[in-house]
Amino acid sequence: MNRFAVPVSRGITRVTDAALGPYQAAVIRIGFAGTWLLFLLREFPDRQEMYGPDGPWSWELGRRIVADNHAFTALMWSDSQVWFEIVYALAVLSSVLLLAGWRTRTMSVLFMVGVLSLQNRSVFMGDGGDNVIHLMAMYLVGTRCGRVWSLDARRVRLAGEARARGEASRAAGPDRVGPVLWAVLGLLLAAVTAAGHLGAGWSAVFWGLWAVQALWWAVGHRARTPQPRILLDVIANVVHNAALFVIMAEACLIYATAGWYKIQGSRWQDGTAVYYPLHLDYFSPWPALSDLLAAHGTIVMLVTYGTVVVQVAFPFTLFNRRVKNVLLAAMMTEHAVIAVVLGLPFFSLAMIAADSVFLPTPFLRRLGGLAARARDRFLPGGGAKLPGQRARGPRTPEGTEDAHVGFSA
């Protein structure tokens, strides 16, 4: 019995003691927020035709399908032009702030609201990458994705360093922005609920998230003993680890499903499937490049069979780090090629962001170090240390204290 009890207890301790994969969660946050932001900016001139009142999928058609599938979209609350512009602007703003890691708990919820509002308004828009962003936007709400590479992490670090030096600073002082943000969003949520725009399910979701924010702040600032804060940290870690596991499972399911469906297709079996999209005008932004690739039958055959092999095999390689990393690099390269050759940049960016959850931590930390050195080189003073601040090497977020600075990671 003890032979099984020890590994089980270690596993429970690992899942509850820390938010696993902080760098992976951060790169997913940055990847999906950046992808959605670039999409919104690129489609800004055509936003009216895609999601607004001038679109072929009219507001009345949108209202009917939402009434049937009970999907959430704030754009169904009003058909006015002003309301559409407000929602679109908030979607852009929440993407920017989530990308920077400012109040990530709150911004992840607002990011989800923006994604669902636009995508559920016009369900036939998108190229496949929108489905990935749709799912990941909901999963991100459960993650502690601001523990590293974020303004939240920077604020926590500065507050801890100031307290360690016995100095008073704005970073170490009471958090005022968080409660104000919480109060404003609470008033807006109350107004929306009173107007009857939220169904029972979505009302429970948003009010539950709002109440969790209040509980987190209250325990972090009013609890007289550390036990309540420890309990909340354990719950947050469990939710984060579960959400990260779901993201990984979702990515594996996408590849496994795509691979096994390809195996059943005759064109994939004879090695010619890649040839045909290269001759479609819609998927040929660079016709000369498409023709060049299509003219080499061996390349077409290798890419066709290689795609199937990689997609089917990847979920089975997760327990072999070296093989997994090779296939991961192959899949990311494949998506980069798809972005250029087939003209699907946002689908490819969304899939690369999803793949990033499997990137090894040492690689991500080296990548972060390179980014920091590039920042210091091109932004003089960007990496300057505060008076009395000591140089320090990379550290894991688990060593960072005061996770209860309001509405942050």
Side-chain angles (χ1 to χ4, degrees):
M1 188 68 180
N2 292 333
R3 183 176 59 182
F4 298 101
V6 173
V8 169
S9 63
R10 288 177 179 174
I12 294 174
T13 301
R14 181 170 175 77
V15 170
T16 60
D17 190 51
L20 303 177
Y23 292 94
Q24 287 79 2
V27 78
I28 291 172
R29 183 198 86 232
I30 294 169
F32 282 107
T35 300
W36 182 241
L37 175 62
L38 290 174
F39 175 81
L40 294 178
L41 295 178
R42 192 196 72 168
E43 302 300 340
F44 185 80
D46 303 315
R47 65 192 185 282
Q48 299 289 349
E49 289 74 21
M50 293 185 66
Y51 302 111
D54 298 336
W57 192 255
S58 66
W59 188 85
E60 181 60 28
L61 289 175
R63 187 187 65 79
R64 291 181 182 178
I65 195 170
V66 168
D68 183 59
N69 62 16
H70 305 289
F72 171 84
T73 170
L75 289 177
M76 290 295 100
W77 298 350
S78 173
D79 60 350
S80 71
Q81 175 68 31
V82 175
W83 178 243
F84 168 75
E85 297 293 351
I86 290 174
V87 172
Y88 201 93
L90 288 177
V92 172
L93 180 60
S94 64
S95 300
V96 172
L97 295 179
L98 184 63
L99 177 66
W102 186 81
R103 310 286 167 173
T104 50
R105 286 198 185 108
T106 302
M107 289 307 126
S108 64
V109 177
L110 296 181
F111 177 76
M112 178 187 69
V113 169
V115 170
L116 297 185
S117 294
L118 292 173
Q119 291 188 354
N120 290 336
R121 164 64 176 85
S122 298
V123 294
F124 296 109
M125 297 296 175
D127 53 15
D130 57 315
N131 294 328
V132 181
I133 297 175
H134 190 108
L135 294 171
M136 297 303 176
M138 293 187 287
Y139 300 153
L140 274 174
V141 174
T143 65
R144 308 183 77 173
C145 55
R147 305 282 280 176
V148 296
W149 297 345
S150 68
L151 295 178
D152 287 342
R154 179 179 180 273
R155 185 173 67 252
V156 172
R157 176 176 59 82
L158 292 178
E161 291 173 351
R163 283 195 297 269
R165 295 192 303 268
E167 298 176 1
S169 69
R170 292 181 61 184
D175 179 31
R176 295 183 177 86
V177 176
V180 170
L181 186 62
W182 172 81
V184 170
L185 292 177
L187 291 175
L188 293 176
L189 184 57
V192 170
T193 304
H197 293 313
L198 290 178
W202 285 107
S203 180
V205 168
F206 288 120
W207 278 112
L209 292 172
W210 186 81
V212 167
Q213 292 280 44
L215 177 63
W216 189 272
W217 183 91
V219 169
H221 292 76
R222 303 300 181 190
R224 297 181 179 180
T225 61
Q227 281 76 15
R229 288 184 292 180
I230 293 173
L231 176 61
L232 284 186
D233 263 330
V234 168
I235 295 174
N237 290 337
V238 171
V239 173
H240 164 91
N241 295 331
L244 206 61
F245 175 79
V246 170
I247 291 173
M248 297 171 69
E250 187 70 41
C252 290
L253 184 62
I254 290 172
Y255 284 118
T257 303
W260 286 108
Y261 269 108
K262 286 181 174 67
I263 288 178
Q264 302 174 46
S266 59
R267 295 293 177 261
W268 290 96
Q269 293 174 8
D270 61 26
T272 63
V274 173
Y275 175 85
Y276 298 99
L278 293 174
H279 287 80
L280 296 176
D281 293 338
Y282 182 77
F283 294 112
S284 299
W286 314 100
L289 180 59
S290 298
D291 293 340
L292 178 63
L293 293 175
H296 294 80
T298 302
I299 294 179
V300 171
M301 181 186 67
L302 292 176
V303 172
T304 301
Y305 287 142
T307 299
V308 175
V309 170
V310 168
Q311 290 184 347
V312 172
F314 179 74
F316 300 100
T317 66
L318 295 182
F319 298 101
N320 189 311
R321 183 175 302 177
R322 292 182 179 179
V323 178
K324 182 263 294 183
N325 289 340
V326 171
L327 292 187
L328 186 60
M331 288 192 301
M332 288 186 168
T333 302
E334 177 188 3
H335 288 304
V337 172
I338 290 173
V340 176
V341 177
L342 298 183
L344 297 172
F346 299 108
F347 165 77
S348 297
L349 286 174
M351 290 308 303
I352 290 173
D355 294 343
S356 299
V357 72
F358 300 106
L359 288 173
T361 298
F363 170 79
L364 291 175
R365 296 181 71 168
R366 286 195 296 269
L367 188 64
L370 291 174
R373 286 192 290 272
R375 176 202 63 192
D376 296 342
R377 176 178 298 179
F378 295 104
L379 297 175
K385 295 185 287 291
L386 295 174
Q389 180 178 343
R390 295 177 298 176
R392 56 183 182 87
R395 60 184 294 185
T396 58
E398 288 80 8
T400 303
E401 297 298 331
D402 195 8
H404 295 271
V405 176
F407 298 79
S408 58

